[in-house]
Amino acid sequence: MIQLIWDGLFVGSFYALIALGYSMVYGIIKLLNFAHGDIYMLGAFIGFAVLTSVGGIPASLSIGALLVVMLVSMLLTGTAGVLIERLAYRPLRGAPRLAVLITAVGVSFSLEYGISALAGPNPRAFPIRLEGNVFVLLGARISLPQIILMLIAAMLMVLLNFYVEKTSTGRAMRAISLDRNASLLMGINVNQVISRTFFIGSALAGAAGVMAGAYYGKIDFLMGFIIGLKAFTAAVIGGIGNIKGAMLGGLVLGFVEAFGAEWFGGQWRDVFAFAVLILFLTLRPTGILGQRVTERV
Amino acid sequence: MAMLEFDNVAVYYGKVQALRGISLTVEEGEIVALLGNNGAGKTTTLSTASGLVKSHSGRVSFNGTDITKAMPWNVVGAGLIHVPEGRRIFSTMTVLENLLLGGYLVKDRALVAKRIATVYELLPLLAERSTQQGGTLSGGEQQMLAIGRALIAGPKMLMLDEPSMGLAPLIVARVMQVISEIRDQGTTVLLVEQNARAALKVTDRAYVIDGGTTTIEGRAVDLLGDSRIIDAYLGA
């Protein structure tokens, strides 16, 4: 039982990191950015490229090296996100939403098969493998890398939450997601804020990509596909467009999968996740935290 | 030199022409009303000035600068603030956060704090509700918040779109009173109203827009007795 909770928490924090970008982008431009999972894949491959170009890393340095590589990868995936918005989505601002959605699917394919062309279609072994002692806490087997990765994920989410809740740009992001024209009348440079949103969301996905590479030890050009859908599910569960909802949704999905896999067998894991997606979309499309205040006119 | 000037401005929404040559001027320190029926083009006129809508031809200038093609944030930066129709409060954000957003372009935080204090003095009910979500305020309170929020930007000129819409007569009087106080403190005001009588009581001059063009212009006191205005907009 404790083991399941721990597993759910661990996988859930990955989902949450990626769901955040999904949710932020949806909140601000009402686009389901189906290329978002591929940014996660891109982050893993950037980490891979950086690590192989420096050569071998001694095992004792692996955590420090991982953090540096993660930062580089975040910067680059963030920039990639900004470029994608600038080149693919911004020209379609004001176009029917379906057109932008299809473009996002196109961007997703471009990223997947672009990386496949550059790095080859076969899975690659990630140069850093986080090894660590496994110890038992309250009956759950927990490894040191898991704790480190969760701490990193938690720290990133705390930082993001502070940024969105307390800074002027964060306030502008929330304002744009509520009412874009009113935000323009506040003097908010909407293009700039949208760019920053894409940067942050993509950087978080890039960080998750590097973490996944280091944890699972293997990356491939389609690794973002399923996790992108999972992150979308997490965002919907929490209430899409809602930052805290994305974090909560990630954890809930992690638990659902962990318990579902335990009770019904591991092969049902994805079925379980997407069944929850369908349930939420039909019964509560606004998600757990997606309530709206009653508005008076 | 006029503070705000429209010179023969035309605007299209797709193929539909919304403005067919609007020309008007607002001098510094004036309070001017823009009257007209639904769909006459009043809101489009304000949106063109604030950069939300792009004009097809003609020229808009503010303080001598051409703002015809300016982005909305540049217009706000220049000190021309548009308070939109329907208040457009950020409903799930607090009153204080709404006010802070009004000062988005003001880099000096101390100045923003000072302006918020001034707004709280002018509109004490906002101070009482500063931690309440904007969407929970009543219509009149939301209108006050929308006006207060605009003041945080430090406007040289305010454009108010239908501030009396949906409000009880007593509240309308209070809103109009606040608007004249703002003008008395030196801010130029362009006031769009369907409630012509309430508007003409507080304004110096007025324009009437009909079918996307300015048809009548005059001093408010004269227009209150003008038969064309009485018949069409005041109700005899």
Side-chain angles (χ1 to χ4, degrees):
Chain A
M1 181 72 178
I2 302 279
Q3 182 72 53
L4 290 180
I5 291 177
W6 171 251
D7 288 348
L9 213 58
F10 178 69
V11 178
S13 59
F14 269 77
Y15 291 157
L17 266 188
I18 306 162
L20 279 169
Y22 242 115
S23 212
M24 288 171 77
V25 164
Y26 183 82
I28 205 156
I29 58 172
K30 305 291 175 264
L31 162 70
L32 294 175
N33 183 12
F34 279 119
H36 191 63
D38 299 300
I39 294 283
Y40 157 89
M41 176 274 294
L42 187 65
F45 272 88
I46 289 171
F48 173 81
V50 172
L51 284 168
T52 36
S53 64
V54 248
I57 305 272
S60 56
L61 287 178
S62 62
I63 293 221
L66 181 73
L67 285 177
V68 174
V69 168
M70 218 174 79
L71 277 180
V72 174
S73 181
M74 286 172 79
L75 276 177
L76 292 176
T77 49
T79 309
V82 170
L83 286 176
I84 289 169
E85 188 273 329
R86 189 78 189 75
L87 299 174
Y89 304 149
R90 194 177 299 178
L92 292 171
R93 204 134 343 124
R97 277 164 68 178
L98 188 60
V100 198
L101 195 69
I102 292 167
T103 306
V105 175
V107 171
S108 167
F109 283 139
S110 309
L111 285 173
E112 285 168 9
Y113 291 95
I115 290 294
S116 163
L118 284 173
N122 297 321
R124 298 297 193 102
F126 207 74
I128 291 186
R129 189 76 204 269
L130 282 183
E131 309 276 330
N133 298 333
V134 175
F135 50 92
V136 176
L137 182 74
L138 300 171
R141 288 166 51 82
I142 295 172
S143 74
L144 196 60
Q146 283 182 322
I147 292 182
I148 292 167
L149 294 181
M150 272 193 63
L151 281 179
I152 296 174
M155 198 186 68
L156 288 172
M157 286 188 254
V158 169
L159 279 177
L160 177 77
N161 199 51
F162 175 82
Y163 185 77
V164 171
E165 291 294 328
K166 300 290 178 211
T167 68
S168 167
T169 308
R171 204 179 295 125
M173 287 175 180
R174 286 181 288 139
I176 294 171
S177 68
L178 287 170
D179 187 336
R180 182 186 296 177
N181 273 347
S183 304
L184 284 167
L185 296 180
M186 301 297 110
I188 295 169
N189 182 335
V190 168
N191 291 337
Q192 191 186 56
V193 176
I194 290 175
S195 284
R196 285 186 195 174
T197 307
F198 268 86
F199 186 92
I200 294 171
S202 304
L204 291 177
V210 172
M211 284 159 61
Y215 184 73
Y216 296 111
K218 208 182 70 174
I219 60 176
D220 70 82
F221 72 102
L222 286 176
M223 67 189 273
F225 177 67
I226 282 285
I227 201 139
L229 290 178
K230 295 276 182 71
F232 169 63
T233 306
V236 169
I237 291 175
I240 195 151
N242 184 315
I243 301 284
K244 290 203 179 86
M247 300 182 196
L248 179 67
L251 296 182
V252 168
L253 184 63
F255 289 136
V256 164
E257 285 194 2
F259 282 92
E262 171 73 13
W263 292 334
F264 299 95
Q267 71 273 29
W268 291 95
R269 177 180 286 266
D270 291 353
V271 176
F272 224 73
F274 296 125
V276 171
L277 172 64
I278 292 166
L279 269 181
F280 265 92
L281 285 176
T282 39
L283 297 179
R284 195 174 164 83
T286 53
I288 301 172
L289 296 184
Q291 293 141 317
R292 314 199 67 188
V293 294
T294 46
E295 284 174 51
R296 285 195 237 163
V297 180
Chain B
M1 181 182 63
M3 185 160 238
L4 179 70
E5 182 165 8
F6 272 67
D7 183 15
N8 202 22
V9 174
V11 168
Y12 286 82
Y13 291 127
K15 284 186 176 154
V16 181
Q17 187 166 12
L19 300 186
R20 311 167 176 271
I22 293 277
S23 294
L24 59 86
T25 57
V26 182
E27 302 292 332
E28 183 165 3
E30 262 194 317
I31 174 160
V32 174
L34 207 53
L35 309 175
N37 291 324
N38 254 339
K42 306 185 299 288
T43 296
T44 305
T45 302
L46 296 196
S47 300
T48 309
S50 54
L52 291 182
V53 170
K54 296 291 169 224
S55 61
H56 174 259
S57 61
R59 185 184 138 103
V60 186
S61 59
F62 180 64
N63 269 336
T65 313
D66 188 343
I67 56 164
T68 317
K69 292 186 163 48
M71 298 306 274
W73 46 89
N74 295 327
V75 175
V76 172
L80 177 58
I81 312 295
H82 177 179
V83 180
E85 187 176 1
R87 354 283 189 215
R88 304 294 277 272
I89 294 305
F90 299 106
S91 57
T92 56
M93 296 167 90
T94 65
V95 167
L96 179 62
E97 282 184 309
N98 270 278
L99 293 174
L100 286 169
L101 279 164
Y104 181 75
L105 286 181
V106 184
K107 290 299 162 222
D108 180 355
R109 286 178 186 212
L111 184 59
V112 171
K114 203 178 123 204
R115 284 178 181 161
I116 290 178
T118 314
V119 164
Y120 281 167
E121 232 168 84
L122 178 71
L123 306 163
L125 65 98
L126 294 183
E128 286 164 31
R129 317 221 152 177
S130 73
T131 58
Q132 212 170 307
Q133 285 195 351
T136 64
L137 302 185
S138 72
E141 290 165 343
Q142 288 195 12
Q143 186 59 56
M144 298 299 188
L145 176 55
I147 294 173
R149 184 173 67 177
L151 291 176
I152 309 296
K156 294 191 174 76
M157 176 170 173
L158 275 186
M159 300 189 292
L160 299 157
D161 196 349
E162 304 268 8
S164 76
M165 193 169 64
L167 302 183
L170 210 61
I171 313 288
V172 172
R174 173 72 188 127
V175 169
M176 292 299 161
Q177 186 197 342
V178 166
I179 293 168
S180 0
E181 280 173 37
I182 289 167
R183 196 279 294 267
D184 293 344
Q185 286 165 17
T187 307
T188 310
V189 178
L190 178 60
L191 174 64
V192 160
E193 262 303 336
Q194 280 203 59
N195 188 338
R197 192 181 300 277
L200 288 172
K201 278 184 195 156
V202 296
T203 49
D204 304 320
R205 280 191 308 125
Y207 289 88
V208 175
I209 297 189
D210 192 14
T213 177
T214 27
T215 52
I216 304 173
E217 185 266 325
R219 296 196 309 149
V221 278
D222 297 337
L223 293 179
L224 274 168
D226 187 317
S227 61
R228 295 170 299 174
I229 303 284
I230 294 172
D231 293 344
Y233 304 105
L234 297 177

